[in-house]
Amino acid sequence: MVRNVRIEAVDAVPRPLIAMGHDYPDGHALPAHWHRRGQLISGATGVLVLATPQGTWVMPPQCGLWIPPGVVHEVRMIGAVTTQSLFLDPDLAGGMPGHCEVVGLSPFVRSLIAKAMDVPVEYDPDSHAGALMALLRHEMRQLPVQPLSLPFPANGALAALCRRFLLKPTVHATIEDWSGPLGVSRRAFTRLFRQETGLSFVEWRQQACLVTALPRLVAGEPVTTVALDLGYDNPAAFTTMFKRVLGASPRAYLKRSG
């Protein structure tokens, strides 16, 4: 088992897929860095928050996070996190998403990843271990995307407003609250925001509230506290939004994930 070793130490090994694990304490932060290989990272406990200049992604327990080759990213751990990572040669990353994505992992895929953690770096491609890694390469291309990303605009002024919003997100924020500081009309703002993020302002606002709420919920904060902090009139309204996006109530989702 390869644990707590930097990928750079074994990156040159001529294998298409390399598996390794890492253990991180609560609050641990990895500064901006990048990998030559693409990385599919997953964890059984805690929450991983990944940030790039293009956006923010929140990976809850039992999910995965795909990071394409060469993408500069920062990582923050909420709760103790034990990660399992698959590093894919960039020449074989063509069938994977071209940008970071949180993905769902079925019990079958999670069991394959767990087995891969025991595979040595220089495995025999024609062995059982080689077959396991080949199967994982195929399964990686079929992983369903989860709505836990928050795209950031390239426009500097708009990006600054987005980052400020994340410090105190609220469902009551309006287009007028944002278009005024930018000095543009409501119509121009609406068009610019969708061009820059691919989402409407209302869709982005909801995603922002969701990705900031999830780490707090996993950390044990009550649903009522989180809901009221975000400006929801009551916990039921927050739960309705949460269930609509993630398919389960906060309590059921956390139970299923943990």
Side-chain angles (χ1 to χ4, degrees):
M1 178 182 296
V2 182
R3 295 204 65 81
N4 299 316
V5 175
R6 291 175 58 87
I7 180 59
E8 289 76 13
V10 295
D11 185 43
V13 174
R15 296 294 182 272
L17 196 64
I18 292 175
M20 59 175 54
H22 287 84
D23 302 300
Y24 299 105
D26 180 20
H28 186 79
L30 299 175
H33 64 287
W34 61 276
H35 310 295
R36 186 185 71 87
R37 293 173 180 254
Q39 180 182 13
L40 176 65
I41 186 171
S42 61
T45 61
V47 168
L48 184 150
V49 180
L50 178 137
T52 77
Q54 290 72 46
T56 298
W57 290 260
V58 175
M59 186 193 82
Q62 310 301 336
C63 283
L65 177 59
W66 166 249
I67 307 168
V71 171
V72 177
H73 56 282
E74 301 176 7
V75 181
R76 177 168 55 93
M77 312 298 171
I78 300 176
V81 180
T82 296
T83 63
Q84 299 174 327
S85 291
L86 301 174
F87 290 93
L88 182 66
D89 189 278
D91 292 338
L92 300 173
M96 299 297 292
H99 47 81
C100 297
E101 291 283 12
V102 177
V103 294
L105 300 178
S106 67
F108 174 65
V109 171
R110 291 203 301 269
S111 68
L112 292 180
I113 294 175
K115 289 181 179 295
M117 292 301 109
D118 292 326
V119 173
V121 173
E122 298 192 57
Y123 56 87
D124 180 354
D126 296 323
S127 66
H128 178 271
L132 169 65
M133 301 304 259
L135 177 57
L136 268 171
R137 283 165 47 201
H138 289 291
E139 291 294 330
M140 287 170 65
R141 296 187 176 93
Q142 311 298 321
L143 300 175
V145 173
Q146 301 295 300
L148 290 169
S149 64
L150 191 67
F152 269 60
N155 180 286
L158 188 54
L161 287 177
C162 290
R163 297 186 189 281
R164 187 187 310 165
F165 180 81
L166 287 181
L167 296 176
K168 192 171 179 58
T170 171
V171 294
H172 297 304
T174 66
I175 290 176
E176 287 74 19
D177 293 335
W178 289 49
S179 60
L182 293 177
V184 299
S185 68
R186 177 187 177 94
R187 183 177 180 180
F189 174 85
T190 300
R191 184 170 59 249
L192 173 66
F193 200 92
R194 185 173 287 279
Q195 288 175 345
E196 290 282 327
T197 67
L199 300 174
S200 72
F201 174 75
V202 172
E203 290 170 335
W204 189 93
R205 182 186 65 191
Q206 176 179 276
Q207 283 294 96
C209 288
L210 185 63
V211 300
T212 55
L214 192 55
R216 295 177 62 185
L217 294 171
V218 172
E221 290 194 46
V223 172
T224 298
T225 300
V226 174
L228 295 180
D229 282 352
L230 293 174
Y232 284 91
D233 294 333
N234 52 66
F238 171 76
T239 296
T240 297
M241 179 279 292
F242 193 101
K243 187 173 183 178
R244 184 175 65 250
V245 176
L246 293 179
S249 67
R251 180 174 297 180
Y253 185 87
L254 294 173
K255 183 177 180 180
R256 184 180 67 195
S257 298

